[in-house]
Amino acid sequence: MEISIIALPLIASIISGFFGKLIGDRNSEIITSLLVSISAIFSVLVLYEVIVNQYQENIIIAKWINSGSLEVNWSMKIDSLSAVMLVVVTSVSALVHIYSIGYMSHDPHKPRFMAYLSLFTFAMLMLVTADNFIQLFFGWEGVGLCSYFLIGFWFKKESANKAAIKAFVVNRVGDFGFALGIFLIFYLFGTVNYSEVFNQISNITDENLKFLGITFNAVDLICLLLFIGAMGKSAQILLHTWLPDAMEGPTPVSALIHAATMVTAGVFLVVRCSPIYEYSELALNVITVVGMSTAFFAATVALVQNDIKKIIAYSTCSQLGYMFFATGVGAYNVAMFHLFTHAFFKALLFLGSGSVIHAFKNEQNLNNMGGVWKKLPYTYSLMIIGTLALTGFPFLSGFYSKDAIIEFAYLRGNTTGYYAAGIGIFTAFLTSIYSWRLIFKTFHGEYNNKEIKIDETHESPIVMLIPLVLLSIGAIFAGFLFKELFIGYEGLNNFWQDSIFFLKPLSTDHPPLWFLLSTPTLVILSIPLAYYLFVKNKNLTEQIANINKPLYQFLLNKWYFDELYDVLFVKQSKKLGLFLWKFFDLKIIDGIGPDGISSIIKKFSLKANKFQSGYIYQYAFVMLLGFSALLTFLIVK
Amino acid sequence: MNFPILSSLILLPSIGALFLFFTKSNKKNNFTIKYVALFTSAVNFFLSIYLWILFDSSTSDFQFVEERIWIEDFINYKVGVDGISILFILLTTFITPLCIISVNNSIKERLSEFLIAVLIMESFMIGVFCSLDLVIFYLFFEAGLIPMFLIIGIWGGARRVYSAFKFFLYTLLGSVLMLIAIITIYWLKGTTDVVELYNSGIDIKYQNLLWLAFFSSFAVKTPMWPVHTWLPDAHVEAPTAGSVLLAAILLKMAGYGFIRFSLGLFPAASEIFTPLIYTLSVIAIIFTSFIALMQDDMKKLIAYSSVAHMGYVTLGIFTIQQQGIEGSIIQMISHGLVSAALFLCVGVIYDRMHSRLINTYGGIVSILPKYSILFMLFTLAALGLPGTSGFVGEFLILMGAFKDNFLVAVIASLGVIIGAAYMLWLYKRVVFGKLINTNLKQMFDLNRSELFILSCLAVPTLVFGFYPDPLINTIEVSISDLIDQYNLKLASKS
């Protein structure tokens, strides 16, 4: 049963990808959705076993790379951590599969789309069930590949192709760090299997390495290198530029890959490696700072964007930042909890926005929407649920997980911890503002679309609404139901067992009451505030934007990261390539090498030609000259 | 084992070529000619599979050894295989029949002469990989250039003469020095038998010069930076089948030579010159990757990427780590499959549109769906995606390199990023996008033989990506023994 969780999506992908034409669109949709749904049911069963019976297993499927001391197997590791991920991945994936049947109904390439979705699911499952770093890397690059395929799914769009390549290459920058981390692990431990590495880690905490004359602590270095990989995949600041562009892909893809599953792989990596990270104070602090900066940065950008999907994308980026700073303050289980709840409400928001986009016939600009809440009642109410959950409105799922993160940051008790908690609260406020801005601008106010009449907008078909309803149930109850299990004080040692490692146990104190109340208060207050700013008194918002023009432009242009990278990396690489080719290869190497030699030989032979003039008197003269020179030499001697 | 299996492998293609020599090449005979060539090379392929089955991978000794006296007390015809060489023989016998099938669409004139060149080359290449006598090795090694020179010079494109001579000039330069080195070895030791030389070793004071002489020949053929500029020109002018042979097999002779001779015969010198190799390899990986980024000719782009990939190979060999050398061999096999496939992919659209320029194309995915899928697979294998053979080689090499030298491994790993950029950008510009050039609409998807060839290459690329064990098993013992011997010789002499 365990192996079929992984195998079914792969089979689905093969059937739909290679025989899609043969079996028809509808059949490939049904087969892929069905197989992935079965896989989801099995995953839930496995999670149940893990919760109830503390089930743990490490299944070896086959040998992969065995070279010298390196031994890597295809494997399936089931423990609490991977069981949670299995459920998140397969359940969201199954719902997205079903939703896509409706969403892609006008697309001519349905089997290909379904095949990519299933293939992605397979790769993601390989990632989370790996028992060694190289299989993890396989899944890691595999999901990156599927993301590349799906972002560029509409291959005729130039922007989609560019975004796809950008996503892959930026991820490769992260993977570069990740791969070096794996090499370092192999260098130090002689193995890449989790269990063997984690067992030995306490022996090498004092080991130092020299690189370019600088001495590094080995554990710090491993952690930082792995984290570079995590930054790429989870779109953390500096390596985040690909995620907003990735919204070029169809919306179900954004929900599955760029919200619920793939982008959380970085968080999963850090949690999985908690036995290593716990020994590196430096790396944990770096993660906290990066996570918190991302959370703040992405929230500010989301405030002013006008593309409905881009706002949610930046929101994802920001929430991933929260997860990272949870791991940074050592609260790995809380990070996993937020990952778990986030998967539901963010997928809900994305699929809901897909439903809006569908209703407006592929319109994504907020300024061309508005006033349709009566026309799209289901979508509207479901989006409200998603938004409430995301902003951390009391007793919905985001409330439990996000507030827990802020609390644990506070309880960490060091400077970065306090700092992170403060930024965390402020970002929660920003999150609430931009989320409600999205809702109000989409559904309230006047109807602003000039191309489509308001009567033409329509509610989505039932096949798209059912997944939304199921996700909204998760968005409402996941936090409340799983709180004890994931982050409860008794659940701590029971549920996670040894899949998460704490060097010193998490603090069991409670922060002061004013602190606990501050986030929910801000979140609740921001709703009327947002309503006032974006529905009641729009002029005020415009005035604020006009007064702070440079700041507004700065945010609108996403802090100018893309422009900066273009100047720094893209243009320079092209210049360097041209220089190395035209100047170095063609002028210097060829000019001095083969072409140079052949031209010298040519010159010499032309000169040598002149000696063979054919005139006897010239030859006789040269002979005479030589003869007299020889004679002189002999006489003088 | 009395049946001379290795000699048969060497001779069989030549016998086929001899048959072709007596058949006139015209429309009526072309069919027969092709099938004679195909039959010969296919038989050779199955024979080599049989060899692989019989091969005992639990020992590093040479197997299937045949020895015949050619010139008394001087040259013996001696052949044999071990784990290091057998995979290259398989690669050769696997690629050649595919090449012969592919000539359908590209070679219109002098078909029988072309196939003679291909078959003769197969003979020589197999000879290179199994000769156990330096002189025999040298003869095969150099003779292999002649058919290639002719293939470029006769069936090549517009600047074929320039390219052919550049190719010849470069390769000849190194060869002369290697010949002198071989003569010196005979003069020093009184034998050119590789096994005897392995056992007795070569005096440390001669090693450096001898190593450099061999190096000059191998570096050109690899090709290493900065003696790589012949390769892009040769590829661009060569016909598709020529490019395939060049990239898949010819380039591997040097990598094999480094392992067999540089490491095997001159360990002390190898140790001294490792920094040189590292530097050149890293420069090759980074420089040529950037250059590949800016190419507008598809074949040139793939040629430059080959230089970068071979940079990984030379890097891996001189790490003297189990992972590094195994990675290098797997990388060579993988590059043999993948670069062959990529050149064939270019050939497919070249045959239809007669242009190798990237900007001719764009948006062909809707016209050539099957082609696009296979091309994508090989693109991914070239950029080293896990699950393809390219990953296994590259990753093992970098792992080995990391054990030996951090800095080198870090810089070499950077090549992985640029590699992804240029391959995906190439694919995007050729296959995706809007169909602007309306002439492209006349193109048709892969025909049966093209589909067959590319699938034949796709299968091992994927299989060895997921399950490289057959490859690693074959080479494991030979390589660990090689490394042991290497370290032993180093220790005893210093």
Side-chain angles (χ1 to χ4, degrees), chain A residues 578-615:
Chain A
L578 270 184
F579 169 77
L580 288 174
W581 175 31
K582 297 270 181 191
F583 182 74
F584 225 87
D585 261 30
L586 296 185
K587 281 245 169 69
I588 295 192
I589 297 178
D590 272 3
I592 296 173
D595 294 354
I597 291 173
S598 65
S599 72
I600 288 169
I601 291 174
K602 218 173 187 177
K603 265 184 210 156
F604 268 103
S605 55
L606 276 178
K607 289 211 171 120
N609 251 346
K610 287 188 183 147
F611 285 105
Q612 300 163 19
S613 58
Y615 296 110

mmCIF file of all heavy atoms in Angstrom, chain A residues 578-615:
data_model
loop_
_atom_site.group_PDB
_atom_site.id
_atom_site.type_symbol
_atom_site.label_atom_id
_atom_site.label_comp_id
_atom_site.label_asym_id
_atom_site.label_seq_id
_atom_site.Cartn_x
_atom_site.Cartn_y
_atom_site.Cartn_z
ATOM 1 N N LEU A 578 29.869 36.479 -25.012
ATOM 2 C CA LEU A 578 30.313 37.028 -26.289
ATOM 3 C C LEU A 578 31.802 37.310 -26.278
ATOM 4 O O LEU A 578 32.514 37.013 -27.232
ATOM 5 C CB LEU A 578 29.563 38.335 -26.575
ATOM 6 C CG LEU A 578 28.259 38.206 -27.327
ATOM 7 C CD1 LEU A 578 27.698 39.579 -27.619
ATOM 8 C CD2 LEU A 578 28.468 37.445 -28.631
ATOM 9 N N PHE A 579 32.275 37.863 -25.162
ATOM 10 C CA PHE A 579 33.691 38.199 -25.061
ATOM 11 C C PHE A 579 34.555 36.946 -25.166
ATOM 12 O O PHE A 579 35.504 36.884 -25.934
ATOM 13 C CB PHE A 579 33.950 38.913 -23.728
ATOM 14 C CG PHE A 579 35.394 39.077 -23.396
ATOM 15 C CD1 PHE A 579 36.156 40.056 -24.015
ATOM 16 C CD2 PHE A 579 36.008 38.245 -22.469
ATOM 17 C CE1 PHE A 579 37.506 40.204 -23.714
ATOM 18 C CE2 PHE A 579 37.352 38.380 -22.171
ATOM 19 C CZ PHE A 579 38.104 39.359 -22.791
ATOM 20 N N LEU A 580 34.186 35.924 -24.391
ATOM 21 C CA LEU A 580 34.990 34.702 -24.384
ATOM 22 C C LEU A 580 35.007 34.053 -25.754
ATOM 23 O O LEU A 580 35.990 33.460 -26.175
ATOM 24 C CB LEU A 580 34.441 33.712 -23.351
ATOM 25 C CG LEU A 580 34.670 34.086 -21.897
ATOM 26 C CD1 LEU A 580 33.954 33.115 -20.998
ATOM 27 C CD2 LEU A 580 36.149 34.095 -21.580
ATOM 28 N N TRP A 581 33.864 34.171 -26.436
ATOM 29 C CA TRP A 581 33.772 33.527 -27.732
ATOM 30 C C TRP A 581 34.495 34.330 -28.800
ATOM 31 O O TRP A 581 35.455 33.865 -29.401
ATOM 32 C CB TRP A 581 32.297 33.347 -28.099
ATOM 33 C CG TRP A 581 32.047 32.799 -29.453
ATOM 34 C CD1 TRP A 581 32.823 31.937 -30.156
ATOM 35 C CD2 TRP A 581 30.912 33.088 -30.279
ATOM 36 N NE1 TRP A 581 32.253 31.656 -31.361
ATOM 37 C CE2 TRP A 581 31.092 32.345 -31.471
ATOM 38 C CE3 TRP A 581 29.772 33.880 -30.137
ATOM 39 C CZ2 TRP A 581 30.147 32.392 -32.507
ATOM 40 C CZ3 TRP A 581 28.850 33.908 -31.169
ATOM 41 C CH2 TRP A 581 29.034 33.185 -32.338
ATOM 42 N N LYS A 582 34.053 35.562 -29.020
ATOM 43 C CA LYS A 582 34.562 36.347 -30.158
ATOM 44 C C LYS A 582 36.017 36.755 -29.954
ATOM 45 O O LYS A 582 36.788 36.797 -30.902
ATOM 46 C CB LYS A 582 33.710 37.605 -30.347
ATOM 47 C CG LYS A 582 32.282 37.314 -30.692
ATOM 48 C CD LYS A 582 32.098 37.212 -32.187
ATOM 49 C CE LYS A 582 30.642 36.935 -32.468
ATOM 50 N NZ LYS A 582 30.320 36.567 -33.809
ATOM 51 N N PHE A 583 36.355 37.108 -28.728
ATOM 52 C CA PHE A 583 37.709 37.610 -28.509
ATOM 53 C C PHE A 583 38.666 36.494 -28.139
ATOM 54 O O PHE A 583 39.674 36.278 -28.793
ATOM 55 C CB PHE A 583 37.689 38.687 -27.426
ATOM 56 C CG PHE A 583 39.036 39.291 -27.190
ATOM 57 C CD1 PHE A 583 39.583 40.186 -28.108
ATOM 58 C CD2 PHE A 583 39.778 38.964 -26.069
ATOM 59 C CE1 PHE A 583 40.834 40.736 -27.905
ATOM 60 C CE2 PHE A 583 41.035 39.507 -25.867
ATOM 61 C CZ PHE A 583 41.569 40.400 -26.777
ATOM 62 N N PHE A 584 38.290 35.742 -27.098
ATOM 63 C CA PHE A 584 39.224 34.757 -26.565
ATOM 64 C C PHE A 584 39.421 33.581 -27.511
ATOM 65 O O PHE A 584 40.537 33.243 -27.884
ATOM 66 C CB PHE A 584 38.685 34.255 -25.229
ATOM 67 C CG PHE A 584 39.726 34.191 -24.178
ATOM 68 C CD1 PHE A 584 40.004 35.308 -23.422
ATOM 69 C CD2 PHE A 584 40.425 33.028 -23.949
ATOM 70 C CE1 PHE A 584 40.984 35.267 -22.456
ATOM 71 C CE2 PHE A 584 41.407 32.980 -22.990
ATOM 72 C CZ PHE A 584 41.681 34.103 -22.230
ATOM 73 N N ASP A 585 38.300 32.974 -27.908
ATOM 74 C CA ASP A 585 38.405 31.766 -28.737
ATOM 75 C C ASP A 585 38.854 32.094 -30.148
ATOM 76 O O ASP A 585 39.775 31.490 -30.672
ATOM 77 C CB ASP A 585 37.039 31.067 -28.780
ATOM 78 C CG ASP A 585 36.994 29.917 -27.804
ATOM 79 O OD1 ASP A 585 37.699 30.021 -26.788
ATOM 80 O OD2 ASP A 585 36.283 28.936 -28.063
ATOM 81 N N LEU A 586 38.146 33.059 -30.758
ATOM 82 C CA LEU A 586 38.396 33.283 -32.183
ATOM 83 C C LEU A 586 39.648 34.117 -32.418
ATOM 84 O O LEU A 586 40.438 33.808 -33.298
ATOM 85 C CB LEU A 586 37.179 33.955 -32.827
ATOM 86 C CG LEU A 586 35.921 33.085 -32.802
ATOM 87 C CD1 LEU A 586 34.792 33.756 -33.560
ATOM 88 C CD2 LEU A 586 36.187 31.707 -33.389
ATOM 89 N N LYS A 587 39.829 35.181 -31.630
ATOM 90 C CA LYS A 587 40.986 36.051 -31.876
ATOM 91 C C LYS A 587 42.257 35.465 -31.295
ATOM 92 O O LYS A 587 43.251 35.305 -31.981
ATOM 93 C CB LYS A 587 40.745 37.430 -31.253
ATOM 94 C CG LYS A 587 39.841 38.309 -32.085
ATOM 95 C CD LYS A 587 40.605 39.525 -32.598
ATOM 96 C CE LYS A 587 39.794 40.257 -33.646
ATOM 97 N NZ LYS A 587 38.618 40.916 -33.065
ATOM 98 N N ILE A 588 42.237 35.148 -30.000
ATOM 99 C CA ILE A 588 43.495 34.763 -29.352
ATOM 100 C C ILE A 588 43.866 33.320 -29.657
ATOM 101 O O ILE A 588 44.913 33.047 -30.246
ATOM 102 C CB ILE A 588 43.405 34.997 -27.830
ATOM 103 C CG1 ILE A 588 43.249 36.493 -27.575
ATOM 104 C CG2 ILE A 588 44.650 34.457 -27.142
ATOM 105 C CD1 ILE A 588 43.421 36.918 -26.152
ATOM 106 N N ILE A 589 42.963 32.386 -29.299
ATOM 107 C CA ILE A 589 43.372 30.987 -29.452
ATOM 108 C C ILE A 589 43.524 30.615 -30.927
ATOM 109 O O ILE A 589 44.560 30.113 -31.352
ATOM 110 C CB ILE A 589 42.366 30.048 -28.766
ATOM 111 C CG1 ILE A 589 42.343 30.326 -27.272
ATOM 112 C CG2 ILE A 589 42.733 28.603 -29.036
ATOM 113 C CD1 ILE A 589 41.354 29.506 -26.516
ATOM 114 N N ASP A 590 42.506 30.909 -31.709
ATOM 115 C CA ASP A 590 42.609 30.560 -33.126
ATOM 116 C C ASP A 590 43.638 31.429 -33.831
ATOM 117 O O ASP A 590 44.376 30.964 -34.689
ATOM 118 C CB ASP A 590 41.249 30.727 -33.809
ATOM 119 C CG ASP A 590 40.440 29.459 -33.696
ATOM 120 O OD1 ASP A 590 40.938 28.523 -33.050
ATOM 121 O OD2 ASP A 590 39.333 29.408 -34.247
ATOM 122 N N GLY A 591 43.690 32.700 -33.442
ATOM 123 C CA GLY A 591 44.594 33.631 -34.117
ATOM 124 C C GLY A 591 46.037 33.237 -33.919
ATOM 125 O O GLY A 591 46.839 33.306 -34.852
ATOM 126 N N ILE A 592 46.387 32.828 -32.698
ATOM 127 C CA ILE A 592 47.771 32.421 -32.445
ATOM 128 C C ILE A 592 47.951 30.957 -32.815
ATOM 129 O O ILE A 592 48.965 30.567 -33.369
ATOM 130 C CB ILE A 592 48.119 32.643 -30.963
ATOM 131 C CG1 ILE A 592 48.062 34.128 -30.659
ATOM 132 C CG2 ILE A 592 49.499 32.081 -30.651
ATOM 133 C CD1 ILE A 592 48.212 34.457 -29.196
ATOM 134 N N GLY A 593 46.965 30.166 -32.539
ATOM 135 C CA GLY A 593 47.036 28.723 -32.776
ATOM 136 C C GLY A 593 46.981 28.360 -34.245
ATOM 137 O O GLY A 593 47.841 28.782 -35.027
ATOM 138 N N PRO A 594 46.007 27.600 -34.634
ATOM 139 C CA PRO A 594 45.996 27.024 -35.989
ATOM 140 C C PRO A 594 46.058 28.070 -37.098
ATOM 141 O O PRO A 594 46.862 27.934 -38.014
ATOM 142 C CB PRO A 594 44.677 26.252 -36.034
ATOM 143 C CG PRO A 594 43.874 26.756 -34.907
ATOM 144 C CD PRO A 594 44.830 27.218 -33.876
ATOM 145 N N ASP A 595 45.246 29.122 -36.991
ATOM 146 C CA ASP A 595 45.255 30.106 -38.070
ATOM 147 C C ASP A 595 46.583 30.826 -38.137
ATOM 148 O O ASP A 595 47.130 31.066 -39.205
ATOM 149 C CB ASP A 595 44.123 31.125 -37.865
ATOM 150 C CG ASP A 595 42.774 30.475 -38.002
ATOM 151 O OD1 ASP A 595 42.748 29.278 -38.358
ATOM 152 O OD2 ASP A 595 41.769 31.145 -37.742
ATOM 153 N N GLY A 596 47.130 31.154 -36.967
ATOM 154 C CA GLY A 596 48.410 31.834 -36.911
ATOM 155 C C GLY A 596 49.498 30.986 -37.533
ATOM 156 O O GLY A 596 50.250 31.456 -38.399
ATOM 157 N N ILE A 597 49.559 29.713 -37.116
ATOM 158 C CA ILE A 597 50.614 28.834 -37.631
ATOM 159 C C ILE A 597 50.487 28.684 -39.138
ATOM 160 O O ILE A 597 51.468 28.824 -39.878
ATOM 161 C CB ILE A 597 50.549 27.460 -36.932
ATOM 162 C CG1 ILE A 597 50.951 27.621 -35.472
ATOM 163 C CG2 ILE A 597 51.452 26.462 -37.628
ATOM 164 C CD1 ILE A 597 50.762 26.392 -34.633
ATOM 165 N N SER A 598 49.267 28.475 -39.581
ATOM 166 C CA SER A 598 49.127 28.240 -41.023
ATOM 167 C C SER A 598 49.472 29.502 -41.809
ATOM 168 O O SER A 598 50.048 29.418 -42.897
ATOM 169 C CB SER A 598 47.725 27.738 -41.362
ATOM 170 O OG SER A 598 46.773 28.721 -41.081
ATOM 171 N N SER A 599 49.173 30.679 -41.242
ATOM 172 C CA SER A 599 49.510 31.865 -42.012
ATOM 173 C C SER A 599 51.019 32.105 -42.010
ATOM 174 O O SER A 599 51.587 32.577 -42.994
ATOM 175 C CB SER A 599 48.751 33.090 -41.491
ATOM 176 O OG SER A 599 49.273 33.480 -40.252
ATOM 177 N N ILE A 600 51.678 31.736 -40.908
ATOM 178 C CA ILE A 600 53.145 31.884 -40.888
ATOM 179 C C ILE A 600 53.777 30.947 -41.904
ATOM 180 O O ILE A 600 54.663 31.343 -42.681
ATOM 181 C CB ILE A 600 53.693 31.588 -39.471
ATOM 182 C CG1 ILE A 600 53.307 32.737 -38.538
ATOM 183 C CG2 ILE A 600 55.204 31.415 -39.492
ATOM 184 C CD1 ILE A 600 53.566 32.444 -37.082
ATOM 185 N N ILE A 601 53.291 29.717 -41.918
ATOM 186 C CA ILE A 601 53.849 28.756 -42.872
ATOM 187 C C ILE A 601 53.645 29.250 -44.298
ATOM 188 O O ILE A 601 54.528 29.161 -45.153
ATOM 189 C CB ILE A 601 53.200 27.373 -42.666
ATOM 190 C CG1 ILE A 601 53.660 26.793 -41.334
ATOM 191 C CG2 ILE A 601 53.560 26.427 -43.800
ATOM 192 C CD1 ILE A 601 52.996 25.523 -40.949
ATOM 193 N N LYS A 602 52.476 29.834 -44.515
ATOM 194 C CA LYS A 602 52.182 30.353 -45.846
ATOM 195 C C LYS A 602 53.184 31.432 -46.233
ATOM 196 O O LYS A 602 53.723 31.439 -47.332
ATOM 197 C CB LYS A 602 50.771 30.923 -45.843
ATOM 198 C CG LYS A 602 50.006 30.663 -47.119
ATOM 199 C CD LYS A 602 48.584 31.131 -46.922
ATOM 200 C CE LYS A 602 47.710 30.762 -48.097
ATOM 201 N NZ LYS A 602 46.329 31.182 -47.840
ATOM 202 N N LYS A 603 53.443 32.342 -45.284
ATOM 203 C CA LYS A 603 54.375 33.440 -45.562
ATOM 204 C C LYS A 603 55.753 32.901 -45.886
ATOM 205 O O LYS A 603 56.409 33.315 -46.852
ATOM 206 C CB LYS A 603 54.460 34.362 -44.345
ATOM 207 C CG LYS A 603 53.512 35.549 -44.435
ATOM 208 C CD LYS A 603 53.729 36.454 -43.234
ATOM 209 C CE LYS A 603 52.438 37.162 -42.890
ATOM 210 N NZ LYS A 603 52.398 37.569 -41.489
ATOM 211 N N PHE A 604 56.196 31.947 -45.067
ATOM 212 C CA PHE A 604 57.521 31.396 -45.282
ATOM 213 C C PHE A 604 57.618 30.716 -46.635
ATOM 214 O O PHE A 604 58.602 30.883 -47.348
ATOM 215 C CB PHE A 604 57.875 30.407 -44.167
ATOM 216 C CG PHE A 604 58.593 31.061 -43.035
ATOM 217 C CD1 PHE A 604 57.953 31.366 -41.849
ATOM 218 C CD2 PHE A 604 59.936 31.417 -43.166
ATOM 219 C CE1 PHE A 604 58.603 31.994 -40.815
ATOM 220 C CE2 PHE A 604 60.604 32.048 -42.139
ATOM 221 C CZ PHE A 604 59.944 32.338 -40.948
ATOM 222 N N SER A 605 56.576 29.973 -46.923
ATOM 223 C CA SER A 605 56.674 29.232 -48.178
ATOM 224 C C SER A 605 56.640 30.181 -49.365
ATOM 225 O O SER A 605 57.268 29.932 -50.391
ATOM 226 C CB SER A 605 55.562 28.187 -48.272
ATOM 227 O OG SER A 605 54.323 28.808 -48.097
ATOM 228 N N LEU A 606 55.925 31.316 -49.207
ATOM 229 C CA LEU A 606 55.940 32.307 -50.286
ATOM 230 C C LEU A 606 57.345 32.851 -50.491
ATOM 231 O O LEU A 606 57.824 33.012 -51.609
ATOM 232 C CB LEU A 606 54.987 33.456 -49.957
ATOM 233 C CG LEU A 606 53.528 33.226 -50.325
ATOM 234 C CD1 LEU A 606 52.694 34.412 -49.904
ATOM 235 C CD2 LEU A 606 53.387 32.943 -51.814
ATOM 236 N N LYS A 607 58.019 33.091 -49.360
ATOM 237 C CA LYS A 607 59.398 33.598 -49.455
ATOM 238 C C LYS A 607 60.299 32.533 -50.050
ATOM 239 O O LYS A 607 61.160 32.823 -50.891
ATOM 240 C CB LYS A 607 59.886 34.009 -48.075
ATOM 241 C CG LYS A 607 59.175 35.274 -47.619
ATOM 242 C CD LYS A 607 60.044 36.112 -46.717
ATOM 243 C CE LYS A 607 59.347 37.455 -46.495
ATOM 244 N NZ LYS A 607 59.065 37.699 -45.084
ATOM 245 N N ALA A 608 60.106 31.299 -49.584
ATOM 246 C CA ALA A 608 60.944 30.214 -50.087
ATOM 247 C C ALA A 608 60.745 30.035 -51.587
ATOM 248 O O ALA A 608 61.665 29.663 -52.308
ATOM 249 C CB ALA A 608 60.609 28.920 -49.346
ATOM 250 N N ASN A 609 59.525 30.323 -52.016
ATOM 251 C CA ASN A 609 59.224 30.250 -53.443
ATOM 252 C C ASN A 609 60.196 31.064 -54.280
ATOM 253 O O ASN A 609 60.619 30.657 -55.344
ATOM 254 C CB ASN A 609 57.829 30.843 -53.672
ATOM 255 C CG ASN A 609 56.848 29.761 -54.022
ATOM 256 O OD1 ASN A 609 57.257 28.646 -54.332
ATOM 257 N ND2 ASN A 609 55.575 30.083 -53.985
ATOM 258 N N LYS A 610 60.518 32.248 -53.734
ATOM 259 C CA LYS A 610 61.325 33.191 -54.514
ATOM 260 C C LYS A 610 62.703 32.636 -54.834
ATOM 261 O O LYS A 610 63.323 33.013 -55.827
ATOM 262 C CB LYS A 610 61.459 34.508 -53.756
ATOM 263 C CG LYS A 610 60.152 35.281 -53.792
ATOM 264 C CD LYS A 610 60.328 36.649 -53.231
ATOM 265 C CE LYS A 610 58.978 37.364 -53.219
ATOM 266 N NZ LYS A 610 58.845 38.276 -52.097
ATOM 267 N N PHE A 611 63.186 31.742 -53.941
ATOM 268 C CA PHE A 611 64.508 31.160 -54.204
ATOM 269 C C PHE A 611 64.491 30.297 -55.455
ATOM 270 O O PHE A 611 65.474 30.197 -56.152
ATOM 271 C CB PHE A 611 64.977 30.343 -52.999
ATOM 272 C CG PHE A 611 65.436 31.194 -51.867
ATOM 273 C CD1 PHE A 611 64.662 31.374 -50.741
ATOM 274 C CD2 PHE A 611 66.668 31.861 -51.939
ATOM 275 C CE1 PHE A 611 65.084 32.166 -49.696
ATOM 276 C CE2 PHE A 611 67.086 32.655 -50.902
ATOM 277 C CZ PHE A 611 66.289 32.819 -49.772
ATOM 278 N N GLN A 612 63.365 29.693 -55.701
ATOM 279 C CA GLN A 612 63.312 28.780 -56.849
ATOM 280 C C GLN A 612 62.862 29.540 -58.075
ATOM 281 O O GLN A 612 61.766 29.369 -58.582
ATOM 282 C CB GLN A 612 62.352 27.631 -56.546
ATOM 283 C CG GLN A 612 62.797 26.856 -55.344
ATOM 284 C CD GLN A 612 61.709 26.000 -54.767
ATOM 285 O OE1 GLN A 612 60.732 25.694 -55.427
ATOM 286 N NE2 GLN A 612 61.889 25.591 -53.528
ATOM 287 N N SER A 613 63.778 30.425 -58.537
ATOM 288 C CA SER A 613 63.370 31.327 -59.615
ATOM 289 C C SER A 613 63.478 30.670 -60.984
ATOM 290 O O SER A 613 62.835 31.084 -61.930
ATOM 291 C CB SER A 613 64.232 32.583 -59.588
ATOM 292 O OG SER A 613 65.583 32.177 -59.717
ATOM 293 N N GLY A 614 64.353 29.640 -61.073
ATOM 294 C CA GLY A 614 64.513 28.982 -62.363
ATOM 295 C C GLY A 614 65.623 29.578 -63.227
ATOM 296 O O GLY A 614 65.918 29.076 -64.314
ATOM 297 N N TYR A 615 66.231 30.647 -62.740
ATOM 298 C CA TYR A 615 67.334 31.244 -63.522
ATOM 299 C C TYR A 615 68.653 30.635 -63.086
ATOM 300 O O TYR A 615 69.027 30.676 -61.915
ATOM 301 C CB TYR A 615 67.384 32.754 -63.326
ATOM 302 C CG TYR A 615 66.150 33.462 -63.840
ATOM 303 C CD1 TYR A 615 65.243 34.046 -62.980
ATOM 304 C CD2 TYR A 615 65.916 33.528 -65.234
ATOM 305 C CE1 TYR A 615 64.109 34.688 -63.467
ATOM 306 C CE2 TYR A 615 64.789 34.171 -65.720
ATOM 307 C CZ TYR A 615 63.886 34.754 -64.836
ATOM 308 O OH TYR A 615 62.781 35.374 -65.317
#
